[in-house]
Amino acid sequence: MDNLNFTKSADGLIPAIVQDYKSNEILMLAYINKEAWEKTIETGKAHYWSRSRNKLWLKGESSGHVQIIHEIFVDCDEDTVIYKVEQLGGAACHVGYSSCFYRKVVDGKFEITGKMVFNPEEVYGKK
């Protein structure tokens, strides 16, 4: 298998843009390292590197909102990927929205434009 270039950044992380495989809606941006990449390929489920927790994580391991990989695209420099996924549970965002990009800037202020799918307090016990 061809390999991604994890050596371009000091921390060995590359961005993963995540899109719904049917609608092409951008769901989230996360980062992967070599281990996350290998687990994703091995399992067919999206794995990422959590910069805040400094550990590998399976998307949906707490919420059940797992991302099933349908297609993966690699950019020309082999240092960014697009995951086309089936988002189980209908929400990629940990604050309850279908997409992490649920706000847009209008007149210098954030306006919520996304749809809330679940209450994060019920799923995680906190917001």
Side-chain angles (χ1 to χ4, degrees), residues 104-113:
K104 72 176 181 178
V105 178
V106 178
D107 296 325
K109 296 181 180 169
F110 294 164
E111 180 180 298
I112 294 175
T113 58

Side-chain angles (χ1 to χ4, degrees), residues 11-14 30-37 47-58:
D11 55 12
L13 299 177
I14 65 171
Y31 292 88
I32 61 171
N33 63 4
K34 191 172 192 290
E35 182 183 14
W37 170 248
H47 287 73
Y48 302 102
W49 182 259
S50 171
R51 296 177 299 162
S52 60
R53 293 177 285 181
N54 201 34
K55 70 173 201 158
L56 180 74
W57 61 287
L58 166 66

